Amino acid sequence: KLDIHVMEKRKEVLSTDHPHTLFAMENLAATCVYLNKSVQAQALLVAVVEKRIEILGLNHKYAQDSI
C-alpha cells in the first residue's frame, strides 16, 4: 500500500513525467513481482519504459536501462 500511495502522490505533486514518479512506478512493479502479481508488474514496467523513451529518447541511459 505504501508504494501505491507514494506513486499516486508523486503523480499528483510532480506529474507523471517526473523521474521520481517513474522510479516510484518501477519500485511498485518490483513489489508486484515479489507478490506474484506479474500482470500488474508488467503493465507498470511497460508504462515506465514507454514514458522514459518518450521523455528522454531511446539512446538515454535511463531509457536503455529500463529496456
Side-chain angles (χ1 to χ4, degrees):
K1 284 186 174 185
L2 182 59
D3 284 341
I4 294 170
H5 178 73
V6 169
M7 182 189 70
E8 292 301 326
K9 277 297 182 188
R10 286 187 177 175
K11 282 182 179 179
E12 180 183 318
V13 174
L14 301 174
S15 87
T16 57
D17 295 344
H18 195 280
H20 293 186
T21 303
L22 296 175
F23 286 128
M25 290 171 69
E26 204 167 31
N27 288 340
L28 180 57
T31 300
C32 288
V33 167
Y34 179 76
L35 296 173
N36 292 318
K37 296 182 178 185
S38 58
V39 173
Q40 294 93 330
Q42 182 178 7
L44 284 164
L45 290 173
V46 166
V48 168
V49 169
E50 288 174 348
K51 189 57 84 170
R52 283 187 176 149
I53 290 171
E54 175 187 327
I55 295 167
L56 303 171
L58 185 58
N59 294 322
H60 193 279
K61 178 185 178 353
Y62 290 150
Q64 289 290 318
D65 290 347
S66 296
I67 297 175

